[in-house]
Amino acid sequence: MADSLENIFIILINSEFIIGILGNGFITLVNCIDWIKMQKISLADRILTALALSRIGLILVMMVSWFTKESYPFSSLDIKRNKVILFSIAGLLANHFSVWFATGLSLFYFLKIANFSNAVFLHLKFRIGMVVMVIFLGTLVLLPLSLTLVSIYIDIKIHQFERNMTLNSKKSDTETISKLIILTVESLLPFTISLSCFLLLMFSLVKHIKKMRSHATGFRDSSCKAHVRAMIMVISFLILLAIHFLSHLMTAFYHNVMQSKLAFMLAEALGTIYPSVHSFVLILGNDKLRKASLLVLWQLRCG
């Protein structure tokens, strides 16, 4: 029974890797072709393309890490040391840019679609490109802190290997705490910003519906549809980011709590959902990408 479940998880994880590469690769390809044809690219497409590329990088890091764990579970000390350094730093960078590009997209939808008469909001609304750029540059300030925390985590892991994999509870607890701090630093602020964008979009939609009802013109207009679509995009990112965070929590407590390979594989499968499934949410929520995907499916069906 356990072997069957392990095989199912292996197939599921590998399928998620393939789906993620195809989905994010499709977004990148469509936007790059459109950029070459039109000789220009919109801010939304730039963010989407950067997000897709960062997700491809994140999936590749997760894929190589997964395959090395499965293919070479018993490695020499030097190989384990190099793997910890490589995957920790590469994973941090890929995840950092992936999360913040998605947060920038949420902020873009909020400023582009929401309607408020506040002077500060209007000032930001007419300078969306600058706001998004400042957010991206501001995230680079957090990167040294995250890299410092990762270096501490790497030192703990390497020291663990040098002690011939003999973990005492204090060292295992230190490793878990360091990983939780990294997760919190990397996820809390972008989650808070995206959640604020979602709540403000909801508030803007409620105001718009009340206004339409007071004028007796109905409330299923293009603005309502834009609000709903943007809210779906933002809330899907929040849900998937929460699942991704949960998967990291499970792996952080793997040595202390779970002690089960099936539970570890479940955590890996949950973690891969975030960069893989979100790409298809982005495709369905974007008119150009959705039409391009339907055209590809129609050509495949005819072919």
Side-chain angles (χ1 to χ4, degrees):
M1 181 66 177
D3 291 340
S4 300
L5 288 175
E6 285 185 15
N7 291 332
I8 291 173
F9 276 125
I10 290 173
I11 294 172
L12 177 61
I13 293 170
N14 291 335
S15 300
E16 289 175 349
F17 287 146
I18 296 172
I19 290 171
I21 294 293
L22 290 176
N24 289 290
F26 178 80
I27 293 173
T28 304
L29 182 63
V30 171
N31 284 335
C32 287
I33 291 175
D34 191 59
W35 186 5
I36 294 171
K37 288 172 61 178
M38 305 298 293
Q39 295 296 309
K40 63 179 181 179
I41 184 170
S42 66
L43 177 60
D45 287 343
R46 273 181 280 172
I47 299 173
L48 278 170
T49 304
L51 175 58
L53 289 172
S54 65
R55 292 276 172 78
I56 292 173
L58 179 60
I59 293 171
L60 289 176
V61 171
M62 296 172 71
M63 186 187 302
V64 175
S65 176
W66 165 256
F67 286 144
T68 53
K69 286 177 184 177
E70 289 296 305
S71 302
Y72 307 101
F74 304 104
S75 305
S76 65
L77 178 60
D78 290 335
I79 293 177
K80 286 180 178 179
R81 183 188 295 114
N82 293 333
K83 281 167 59 177
V84 169
I85 295 173
L86 175 63
F87 292 137
S88 297
I89 295 177
L92 170 72
L93 292 174
N95 185 69
H96 177 87
F97 289 110
S98 171
V99 169
W100 278 106
F101 280 131
T103 304
L105 189 63
S106 300
L107 188 61
F108 172 84
Y109 286 138
F110 162 64
L111 292 174
K112 190 76 174 178
I113 295 171
N115 289 307
F116 294 104
S117 58
N118 183 274
V120 176
F121 172 80
L122 293 175
H123 179 79
L124 296 175
K125 188 179 181 69
F126 291 113
R127 293 166 178 81
I128 297 179
M130 184 181 296
V131 173
V132 174
M133 182 61 67
V134 168
I135 290 291
F136 289 155
L137 293 176
T139 63
L140 298 179
V141 177
L142 295 174
L143 200 53
L145 174 61
S146 298
L147 287 171
T148 302
L149 294 172
V150 166
S151 67
I152 296 173
Y153 174 78
I154 290 172
D155 289 339
I156 294 171
K157 292 288 289 185
I158 291 176
H159 184 66
Q160 168 185 321
F161 293 141
E162 290 173 346
R163 291 170 62 92
N164 296 322
M165 302 303 291
T166 303
L167 280 172
N168 53 39
S169 59
K170 183 178 179 181
K171 184 59 66 177
S172 184
D173 290 342
T174 305
E175 178 189 342
T176 302
I177 291 171
S178 65
K179 192 165 186 178
L180 289 177
I181 293 174
I182 295 170
L183 290 172
T184 303
V185 169
E186 282 292 304
S187 303
L188 183 60
L189 185 56
F191 186 89
T192 303
I193 293 174
S194 296
L195 180 60
S196 300
C197 291
F198 173 77
L199 295 175
L200 288 170
L201 277 167
M202 182 182 294
F203 183 62
S204 174
L205 176 60
V206 171
K207 283 183 60 179
H208 180 72
I209 291 175
K210 288 181 178 179
K211 183 179 178 181
M212 293 296 100
R213 282 177 172 173
S214 64
H215 289 80
T217 57
F219 55 91
R220 292 189 62 84
D221 60 349
S222 58
S223 180
C224 283
K225 293 178 180 178
H227 274 80
V228 172
R229 182 177 296 179
M231 288 167 60
I232 292 173
M233 301 282 276
V234 176
I235 196 64
S236 64
F237 165 64
L238 289 172
I239 294 172
L240 291 171
L241 181 61
I243 294 173
H244 188 64
F245 185 84
L246 175 63
S247 72
H248 279 292
L249 283 180
M250 293 174 67
T251 55
F253 286 103
Y254 170 64
H255 293 290
N256 289 9
V257 179
M258 294 194 296
Q259 297 293 334
S260 168
K261 186 176 180 181
L262 286 177
F264 180 75
M265 295 179 75
L266 173 61
E268 291 285 334
L270 288 174
T272 315
I273 289 175
Y274 160 67
S276 301
V277 175
H278 194 225
S279 61
F280 288 91
V281 176
L282 295 174
I283 290 172
L284 294 175
N286 184 282
D287 288 334
K288 180 178 68 177
L289 295 174
R290 186 173 63 254
K291 290 177 181 177
S293 64
L294 292 174
L295 179 61
V296 170
L297 291 174
W298 179 80
Q299 290 178 339
L300 290 174
R301 183 180 178 183
C302 293

